[in-house]
Amino acid sequence: MSNIQEIKKRRTFAIISHPDAGKTTLTEKLLLFGGAIQTAGAVKSNKIKKTATSDFMEIEKQRGISVATSVMTFEYKDLLINILDTPGHKDFAEDTYRTLTAVDSVILVIDCVKGVEEQTERLMEVCRMRNTPVIIFINKLDREGQNPFDLLDELETKLNIRVRPLTWPINMGSDFKGVYSLYEQKLYFFKINKTKVESDVAEVSLDDENLDTLVGERDGNQLREDVELVEGVYDTFSEEAYQKGELAPVFFGSAINNFGVKELLDTFCQISPTPQPRPTDARKVEPTEPKFSGFIFKIHANLDPRHRDRIAFLRICSGKFERNKFYHHVRLDKDVRFASPFSFMASAKSVMEEGFPGDVVGLYDTGNFKIGDTLTEGEDLMFSGIPSFSPEIFKELINLDPMKSKQLEKGIQQLTDEGVAQLFTLDLGNRKIVGTVGELQFDVIQYRLEHEYGAKCRWVPMNTARACWITSDDKRKLDEFIRLKGNQIGYDKDRNPVFLAESEWMIRMNRDNNPDIQFHFTSEFKTETAV
Ligand code: G4P
């Protein structure tokens, strides 16, 4: 098969949601369709969840939450689908943000009872930064949810994206009868028969009297009214607008009952983008280019607690990746090759002889990689759009055992390379400030420093609310600002100066008083959203 055919076959996406909206359940149902897992019905028993492929780390087992991001690959209708799993817990949101840099589209799951939740808004902001195409799945229709029109309004206002329903529900909760596909003009019935869900399909247009026989006159009329309103209020669905990330098609269903999932998957296969071009610091890289390139979006540590090995997740962006071939590690300016790269086919790791754009390759790493590292066939370019985001909680790392300061130094360096948290160093006294998006991260770091590096630490909370990368065209003014702010200035992993501000208000005030200094909320200044 030619490279172009391989590219056309691939779809790489992530499922995102606020915790508990049904991301795991939906993922499992998709894997069942793809034959990647065979355990239909085991979902309810929680078995798959607990032994899910993302369940790598000891700490994750202890806490029962998905710390790590993993990849699940399956074939469906001649397509090769890569689902990049994202941790649901909000404290690991940064992990999710980074995974979103490696996908070509997302499916967003919304709980119809709860509507748009906090984490959903944050995740969508990241999608919008990159114009990632989004399909929305409104889940749990078997529960009494909010009115579907209200839900759509909420999606549009809170997520700042135009929506277009492609299916429409007939009631919700105990009275839920199914969904009507506005495009296929088909009625998908939802019936629970004791424990089994039956899903019949009937081809029936809205003006067909049969509709009333099938769902009852009252619901038939309500459906006609609703659909008329939908057609009047919402633009017709445009694949192009979807692919540009401007319009999100919406599906209704119930993941746990496997209802509406197949329609979602089939539409996804039809409309979702193939591997897309990627920006770099030099030029745009097209997937169809013959030469290989890719970047590391995730580093996963300690699969086996007895060894300190790590796995770097590489997203292939162009060309063909081959086992045992030398590639150029741009940041280190050295050539590297991989004897046992692996893929995630059928939820088990298997050696990957070759890979194509859209694929994710697992590479064993002994400390050579950082998030954002680029591999090429020789060209000096770095993929962009993989920024660090301003953390929200800051604590100072205090070493509890002076004999172990080397181990602590190495440990915190490696953990921050992996992207577990961000490290800012204050020049005065070489103090280490760790910034995260969640409290849990501090427990994770403390645990891992002790168990993997033998270093004990404690945390001292800091009076810092936001970190802003600072730049200026006037070096003298920047130096002066740094000098004046003293120990409110830290340096990130690349020695970029960062202003550690007590509050948003402080940032605004400092920005107003220092017009020559620019304040940035992400480490990548070109793609930032301004303060
Ligand atoms: P997450 O990954 O987004 O955090 O959500 P997850 O799939 O774990 O689902 C969260 C809870 O919602 C689970 O219940 C799951 O069974 C339930 N759920 C998922 N889809 C539906 C649906 O369509 N309808 C209803 N009524 N519930 C749904 P749990 O009690 O937390 O776990 P479990 O013991 O059922 O596995």
Side-chain angles (χ1 to χ4, degrees):
M1 207 185 280
S2 73
N3 271 22
I4 298 202
Q5 281 170 313
E6 294 282 3
I7 294 167
K8 279 198 176 146
K9 238 181 99 166
R10 280 159 171 80
R11 301 288 186 278
T12 302
F13 77 107
I15 303 180
I16 54 175
S17 75
H18 189 90
D20 267 352
K23 180 176 68 66
T24 313
T25 312
L26 180 64
T27 308
E28 288 166 3
K29 299 297 176 191
L30 295 178
L31 293 179
L32 281 169
F33 278 117
I37 51 173
Q38 268 79 36
T39 25
V43 174
K44 263 207 177 127
S45 75
N46 227 358
K47 222 171 150 203
I48 295 176
K49 236 173 160 173
K50 293 287 186 279
T51 57
T53 33
S54 60
D55 192 2
F56 284 141
M57 288 158 60
E58 183 59 30
I59 191 131
E60 180 182 17
K61 282 182 219 142
Q62 283 185 358
R63 293 173 190 280
I65 52 161
S66 179
V67 173
T69 299
S70 63
V71 184
M72 287 154 281
T73 302
F74 65 93
E75 278 182 315
Y76 182 74
K77 291 194 168 171
D78 293 332
L79 294 181
L80 205 126
I81 297 176
N82 296 309
I83 306 182
L84 275 51
D85 190 22
T86 53
H89 199 288
K90 88 169 188 4
D91 285 10
F92 296 94
E94 177 124 16
D95 223 17
T96 304
Y97 302 158
R98 274 193 301 267
T99 298
L100 293 179
T101 66
V103 300
D104 299 298
S105 69
V106 304
I107 292 179
L108 170 65
V109 186
I110 301 277
D111 180 333
C112 71
V113 183
K114 294 185 177 151
V116 175
E117 295 170 87
E118 185 202 337
Q119 190 61 8
T120 326
E121 290 184 54
R122 301 287 305 272
L123 292 166
M124 270 301 289
E125 271 172 36
V126 180
C127 290
R128 269 200 315 273
M129 272 174 72
R130 312 171 49 81
N131 300 321
T132 309
V134 180
I135 297 180
I136 298 173
F137 183 73
I138 299 187
N139 191 27
K140 305 196 185 180
L141 270 269
D142 56 319
R143 291 203 177 153
E144 294 301 337
Q146 299 174 34
N147 174 297
F149 283 107
D150 292 346
L151 280 168
L152 295 179
D153 278 353
E154 195 180 329
L155 288 169
E156 290 207 321
T157 46
K158 289 201 176 157
L159 302 182
N160 199 8
I161 187 165
R162 283 192 297 135
V163 297
R164 203 329 160 173
L166 293 190
T167 62
W168 195 256
I170 303 168
N171 305 328
M172 285 191 195
S174 53
D175 212 14
F176 179 51
K177 288 193 175 153
V179 296
Y180 187 74
S181 164
L182 303 176
Y183 279 77
E184 300 169 311
Q185 308 226 313
K186 276 184 191 165
L187 196 56
Y188 292 88
F189 288 105
F190 176 83
K191 268 192 237 153
I192 294 193
N193 230 335
K194 292 201 178 118
T195 51
K196 205 170 147 279
V197 176
E198 288 176 4
S199 169
D200 273 346
V201 190
E203 274 190 54
V204 55
S205 72
L206 286 175
D207 43 25
D208 194 328
E209 279 174 13
N210 255 338
L211 180 68
D212 302 301
T213 326
L214 290 167
V215 297
E217 201 180 323
R218 185 185 60 107
D219 289 336
N221 285 336
Q222 184 66 49
L223 178 66
R224 290 184 186 99
E225 234 175 73
D226 286 353
V227 173
E228 201 182 320
L229 195 55
V230 168
E231 303 295 353
V233 171
Y234 297 98
D235 297 338
T236 48
F237 176 65
S238 147
E239 214 172 299
E240 197 192 335
Y242 155 71
Q243 294 237 0
K244 283 188 183 158
E246 292 166 359
L247 180 74
V250 179
F251 289 83
F252 292 86
S254 169
I256 195 97
N257 294 303
N258 209 353
F259 188 81
V261 179
K262 188 170 180 301
E263 293 75 55
L264 171 78
L265 179 61
D266 287 342
T267 310
F268 170 83
C269 290
Q270 272 172 30
I271 65 171
S272 64
T274 54
Q276 293 295 294
R278 304 262 144 185
T280 72
D281 57 356
R283 63 187 185 82
K284 197 188 245 184
V285 170
E286 295 290 336
T288 47
E289 290 178 20
K291 289 200 171 162
F292 159 79
S293 68
F295 66 89
I296 304 294
F297 65 93
K298 162 88 195 156
I299 295 174
H300 209 121
N302 212 27
L303 287 163
D304 179 348
R306 286 163 301 174
H307 304 111
R308 198 181 296 159
D309 55 355
R310 317 201 286 182
I311 285 175
F313 289 68
L314 172 92
R315 149 94 197 201
I316 303 178
C317 298
S318 68
K320 180 165 145 185
F321 173 90
E322 287 171 80
R323 186 164 85 91
N324 269 331
K325 192 169 166 177
F326 274 102
Y327 292 115
H328 185 55
H329 187 312
V330 178
R331 180 178 56 86
L332 298 182
D333 191 21
K334 78 176 193 191
D335 289 344
V336 287
R337 67 176 175 155
F338 305 94
S340 30
F342 58 86
S343 68
F344 301 84
M345 196 72 186
S347 74
K349 289 190 294 189
S350 53
V351 171
M352 187 187 236
E353 291 298 334
E354 52 180 38
F356 297 90
D359 282 344
V360 174
V361 191
L363 303 172
Y364 289 106
D365 173 39
T366 49
N368 277 326
F369 285 123
K370 281 188 192 186
I371 303 285
D373 273 347
T374 298
L375 292 178
T376 68
E377 278 192 44
E379 193 175 345
D380 271 329
L381 51 79
M382 289 291 274
F383 283 96
S384 49
I386 315 149
S388 304
F389 294 86
S390 175
E392 286 158 30
I393 308 171
F394 297 82
K395 291 186 183 180
E396 183 172 354
L397 176 70
I398 307 285
N399 184 6
L400 286 182
D401 182 354
M403 303 294 283
K404 294 281 170 64
S405 54
K406 262 206 174 127
Q407 284 88 332
L408 186 92
E409 191 84 34
K410 185 172 175 197
I412 194 68
Q413 199 62 51
Q414 291 202 342
L415 293 184
T416 48
D417 280 357
E418 266 175 39
V420 175
Q422 291 180 57
L423 177 66
F424 304 102
T425 311
L426 304 188
D427 272 357
L428 202 68
N430 194 26
R431 289 166 61 193
K432 291 182 173 47
I433 312 300
V434 172
T436 71
V437 289
E439 280 289 346
L440 205 49
Q441 232 89 2
F442 292 102
D443 294 355
V444 171
I445 296 170
Q446 196 167 22
Y447 177 93
R448 289 190 56 189
L449 282 175
E450 188 174 341
H451 288 83
E452 293 171 36
Y453 298 88
K456 287 201 167 156
C457 72
R458 71 183 170 89
W459 299 107
V460 177
M462 299 272 300
N463 186 20
T464 302
R466 216 66 206 271
C468 273
W469 283 263
I470 45 174
T471 56
S472 176
D473 294 335
D474 188 336
K475 186 173 177 315
R476 206 179 41 84
K477 290 225 166 94
L478 185 65
D479 289 346
E480 179 61 12
F481 183 80
I482 290 173
R483 195 184 60 77
L484 275 175
K485 291 295 160 197
N487 63 5
Q488 273 191 295
I489 301 291
Y491 290 89
D492 75 0
K493 60 185 183 339
D494 302 316
R495 275 298 290 174
N496 293 311
V498 178
F499 175 43
L500 302 169
E502 297 103 298
S503 62
E504 299 274 343
W505 183 82
M506 265 298 181
I507 297 172
R508 276 199 298 278
M509 195 189 77
N510 276 284
R511 191 188 54 181
D512 292 346
N513 292 343
N514 299 278
D516 296 312
I517 311 269
Q518 282 86 50
F519 296 77
H520 314 268
F521 275 147
T522 76
S523 64
E524 202 164 77
F525 312 129
K526 277 163 278 176
T527 54
E528 60 152 19
T529 32
V531 179

